[in-house]
């Protein structure tokens, strides 16, 4: 009887493992009842609705009574909108028709808090945003929907707006005010004390992390699962195979956790060291070609974390890969995947990390950071015409790290962050403006931890140098080979204030700390 049961279970598990992903889930769903597992363990949560919205209002010439703005001359070109009621929004920006045209002048807005609140003071909007974006020779860099745009500014929940734009030169044609409502997401990232170590902070509680889903266990991961692991998890091998329990080793005594969706798994595994080439599955044997695109169906492969190894195994496999930090995925911050372009574009490797500030202002709480990200995402895609969120990663002022552009956090995803140097690099945006404000220590720590891991995957010393070929910009002509720090500021590749003088001044500390996290002296 017992042998027969074991044999039946083994056949069932083998069948589940052999099926393609699209078929394995239904097969797995039929087994839990036989094992006495609750049906909820295999229920797929419904896709959340992430409304969000963008209001696009054309600017108008202002008459003499509405023209007053600091700077400029009386005959300067001035456009804008007088005070008006609008639907609720939280982020503002200005776009125009020609992405190659620059807005030379001053953009200022003031807003009214939702519900009849007070009007704010005038706030400056950063106009020099042309240095962010896709490289000119890429498909994204000359897309039909591409617009010129200012940096976005986070203003908080508002329902009234006034804007004035004064040009030192003739203003670009087709100026429009973009008012972005981030929409509600099923759960927000929790606020974290700025003094708290980001690696010890709890992962955010979201719909993705509270719903347990059926997971197909690959043959590779199953072969590396030990009997002791299953005993600690409190389940038999057969139960683990069909209930979606994460049987991977959790480093440093982390609690055992149920396996979640592929998005949530990124949150629960703090480490994903590179598997040696001999151990790597066929899909990981070679790096993708530069500019290679992949369909959305490849998302599971692109985002699937490599099975965790014990610390001594990690050291033997790759001595200079820093511990993988916690990363809040796109699902965690509520990205609506329906608005971006489908598929992904990869470059060959990652040689350097460019650090930016988002220039969205510092008037946000860390609990609002997911809303800020959803707003920037919508502004990048629907207002500016980019294919996706521009940066590969984002960091809030509490040191929480977020996945940016889709395609897999461990993959060399081609971003749109440093005009001319997006190839073979990654972009990290710190949410805020750090021209005069000092970034919290948690920000510098998060940048160091993230780069120690991601640069380490590609064998890069954070204190070393990188050679990148310019795709064209205002500092280096197209085709020139440029030597840069492995952790560089945006201004190193383009004449810009980004990432702000205060954040730029902390990059030396980030390089030193990042190298230490990799185990370098």
């Amino acid at each position: 009887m017992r042998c027969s049961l074991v044999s039946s279970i083994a056949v069932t598990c083998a069948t589940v493992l052999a099926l393609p992903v699209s078929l394995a889930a239904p097969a797995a769903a039929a087994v839990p009842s036989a094992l006495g597992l609750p049906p909820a363990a295999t229920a797929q949560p419904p896709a959340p609705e992430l409304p969000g919205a963008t209001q696009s209002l054309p600017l108008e010439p202002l008459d003499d009574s509405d023209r007053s703005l600091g700077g400029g001359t009386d005959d300067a070109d001035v456009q804008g909108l007088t005070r008006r009621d609008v639907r609720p929004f939280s982020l503002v920006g200005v776009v125009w028709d020609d992405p190659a045209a620059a807005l030379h002048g001053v953009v200022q807005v003031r807003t009214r808090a939702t519900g009849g609140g007070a009007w704010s003071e005038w706030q400056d909007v950063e106009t020099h945003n042309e240095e962010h974006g896709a490289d000119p020779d890429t498909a994204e860099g000359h897309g039909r929907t591409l617009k010129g745009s200012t940096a976005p500014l986070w203003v908080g929940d508002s329902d009234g707006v006034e804007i004035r734009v004064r040009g030192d030169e003739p203003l670009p044609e087709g100026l429009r005010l973009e008012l972005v409502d981030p929409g509600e997401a099923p759960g927000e990232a929790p606020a974290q004390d700025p003094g708290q170590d980001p690696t010890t902070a709890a992962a955010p509680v979201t719909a993705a992390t509270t719903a347990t889903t059926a997971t197909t266990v690959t043959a590779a991961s199953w072969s590396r699962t030990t009997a002791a692991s299953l005993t600690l998890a409190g389940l038999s091998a057969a139960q683990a195979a069909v209930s979606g329990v994460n049987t991977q080793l959790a480093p440093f005594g982390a609690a055992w956790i149920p396996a979640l969706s592929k998005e949530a798994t990124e949150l629960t595994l703090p480490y994903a060291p590179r598997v040696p080439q001999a151990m790597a599955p066929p899909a990981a044997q070679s790096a993708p070609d530069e500019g290679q695109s992949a369909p959305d169906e490849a998302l599971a492969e692109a985002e699937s974390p490599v099975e965790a190894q014990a610390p001594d195994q990690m050291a033997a496999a790759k001595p200079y890969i820093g511990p993988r930090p916690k990363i809040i995925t796109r699902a965690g911050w509520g990205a609506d995947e329906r608005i971006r372009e489908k598929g992904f574009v990869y470059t060959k490797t990652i040689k350097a990390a460019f650090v930016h500030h988002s220039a969205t202002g510092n008037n946000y709480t860390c609990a609002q950071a997911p809303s800020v990200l959803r707003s920037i995402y919508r502004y990048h895609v629907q207002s500016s015409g980019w294919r996706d969120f521009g940066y590969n990663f984002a960091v809030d002022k509490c040191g929480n790290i977020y996945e940016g552009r889709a395609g897999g956090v461990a993959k060399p995803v081609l971003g749109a962050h440093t005009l001319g140097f997006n190839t073979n690099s990654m972009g990290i945006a710190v949410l805020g403006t750090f021209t005069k404000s000092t970034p919290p220590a948690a920000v510098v720590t998060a940048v160091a931890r993230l780069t120690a891991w991601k640069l380490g995957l590609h064998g890069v010393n954070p204190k070393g140098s990188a050679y990148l070929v310019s795709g064209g910009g205002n500092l280096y002509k197209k085709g020139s080979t440029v030597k840069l720090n492995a952790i560089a500021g945006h201004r190193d590749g383009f004449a810009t204030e980004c990432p702000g003088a205060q954040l730029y001044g902390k990059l030396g500390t980030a390089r030193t700390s990042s190298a230490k996290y990799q185990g370098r002296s």
Side-chain angles (χ1 to χ4, degrees):
M1 177 77 176
R2 179 176 303 173
C3 293
S4 175
L5 177 59
V6 170
S7 195
S8 299
I9 292 174
V11 170
T12 301
C13 292
T15 302
V16 171
L17 291 171
L19 288 172
V21 173
S22 59
L23 299 177
V31 182
S33 58
L35 297 173
L37 296 175
T42 59
Q44 290 284 354
E49 288 296 324
L50 304 173
T54 300
Q55 302 171 69
S56 186
L57 308 176
L59 300 190
E60 305 165 351
L62 296 179
D63 58 33
D64 293 341
S65 61
D66 298 317
R67 292 166 63 91
S68 59
L69 262 183
T73 60
D74 292 340
D75 59 353
D77 191 3
V78 181
Q79 295 184 34
L81 296 172
T82 56
R83 287 190 182 189
R84 61 193 59 206
D85 297 335
V86 292
R87 297 190 304 275
F89 67 96
S90 295
L91 178 140
V92 304
V94 174
V95 301
W96 52 93
D97 294 339
D98 184 359
L103 194 165
H104 296 289
V106 179
V107 178
Q108 291 183 319
V109 298
R110 55 183 175 187
T111 57
R112 183 187 63 206
T114 297
W119 283 85
S120 70
E121 299 295 326
W122 287 107
Q123 300 184 72
D124 292 324
V125 178
E126 174 60 59
T127 59
H128 302 294
N129 197 44
E130 69 274 7
E131 66 266 19
H132 299 84
D135 290 345
D137 288 342
T138 63
E140 183 179 6
H142 53 75
R144 288 178 296 175
T145 61
L146 205 61
K147 302 284 187 183
S149 59
T150 68
L153 177 68
W154 176 262
V155 294
D157 194 9
S158 307
D159 61 6
V161 68
E162 181 177 11
I163 180 169
R164 294 172 179 174
V165 181
R166 177 188 292 275
D168 297 332
E169 300 176 3
L171 292 172
E173 294 184 359
L175 288 173
R176 304 183 70 87
L177 173 65
E178 303 289 290
L179 304 175
V180 182
D181 170 18
E184 295 296 330
E188 302 283 14
Q192 178 184 321
D193 189 311
Q196 184 177 0
D197 185 339
T199 62
T200 62
V205 179
T206 68
T209 59
T210 55
T212 303
T213 62
T215 301
T216 303
V217 182
T218 66
S221 65
W222 184 260
S223 66
R224 283 191 281 272
T225 300
T226 64
S229 302
L230 297 172
T231 303
L232 286 172
L235 292 172
S236 69
Q239 287 174 321
V242 296
S243 67
V245 169
N246 190 330
T247 57
Q248 298 169 343
L249 291 174
F252 297 106
W256 287 96
I257 48 179
L260 310 171
S261 64
K262 63 179 180 296
E263 295 88 358
T265 304
E266 295 280 351
L267 297 172
T268 57
L269 286 177
Y271 300 93
R274 173 179 284 174
V275 173
Q277 226 30 18
M279 296 171 58
Q285 291 286 347
S286 59
D289 292 334
E290 184 173 345
Q292 175 183 344
S293 60
D296 266 357
E297 286 75 9
L299 181 60
E301 177 186 334
E303 293 192 346
S304 296
V306 177
E307 285 73 16
Q309 303 175 42
D312 57 340
Q313 294 174 308
M314 291 194 299
K318 192 74 175 179
Y320 296 126
I321 300 177
R324 176 174 173 157
K326 287 184 173 67
I327 298 171
I328 300 171
T329 62
R330 291 169 64 91
W333 55 263
D336 187 345
E337 303 297 352
R338 296 168 297 185
I339 70 173
R340 65 172 173 83
E341 286 188 17
K342 302 303 179 185
F344 316 103
V345 181
Y346 298 101
T347 184
K348 287 184 179 297
T349 187
I350 301 296
K351 295 181 178 180
F354 285 99
V355 178
H356 306 253
H357 67 174
S358 63
T360 46
N362 303 318
N363 188 28
Y364 72 94
T365 67
C366 292
Q368 292 174 320
S371 294
V372 176
L373 288 169
R374 290 196 303 277
S375 298
I376 296 174
Y377 172 45
R378 186 172 287 272
Y379 184 74
H380 281 179
V381 175
Q382 295 193 324
S383 299
S384 302
W386 300 1
R387 74 186 314 272
D388 192 358
F389 191 87
Y391 309 100
N392 299 103
F393 297 93
V395 174
D396 69 25
K397 59 187 176 183
C398 293
N400 296 305
I401 302 171
Y402 302 84
E403 177 186 17
R405 178 160 291 206
V409 294
K411 299 279 187 178
V413 179
L414 181 67
H417 47 82
T418 307
L419 187 68
F421 290 102
N422 290 305
T423 298
N424 294 335
S425 71
M426 60 185 269
I428 305 169
V430 179
L431 300 183
T433 303
F434 298 101
T435 306
K436 298 180 180 178
S437 299
T438 302
V443 165
V444 182
T445 298
V447 169
R449 289 186 181 276
L450 176 58
T451 52
W453 169 68
K454 187 64 181 281
L455 293 179
L457 292 177
H458 298 273
V460 176
N461 182 345
K463 291 197 299 183
S465 300
Y467 290 88
L468 297 177
V469 177
S470 172
N474 63 3
L475 272 184
Y476 303 101
K477 66 180 182 179
K478 181 179 177 181
S480 59
T481 299
V482 182
K483 181 180 179 182
L484 298 162
N485 287 313
I487 299 178
H490 185 182
R491 62 175 62 183
D492 295 326
F494 201 97
T496 173
E497 288 189 356
C498 183
Q502 297 302 312
L503 178 55
Y504 187 78
K506 297 291 185 181
L507 295 188
T509 301
R511 295 182 194 109
T512 301
S513 298
S514 182
K516 288 181 179 178
Y517 288 132
Q518 283 189 351
R520 300 177 189 267
S521 57

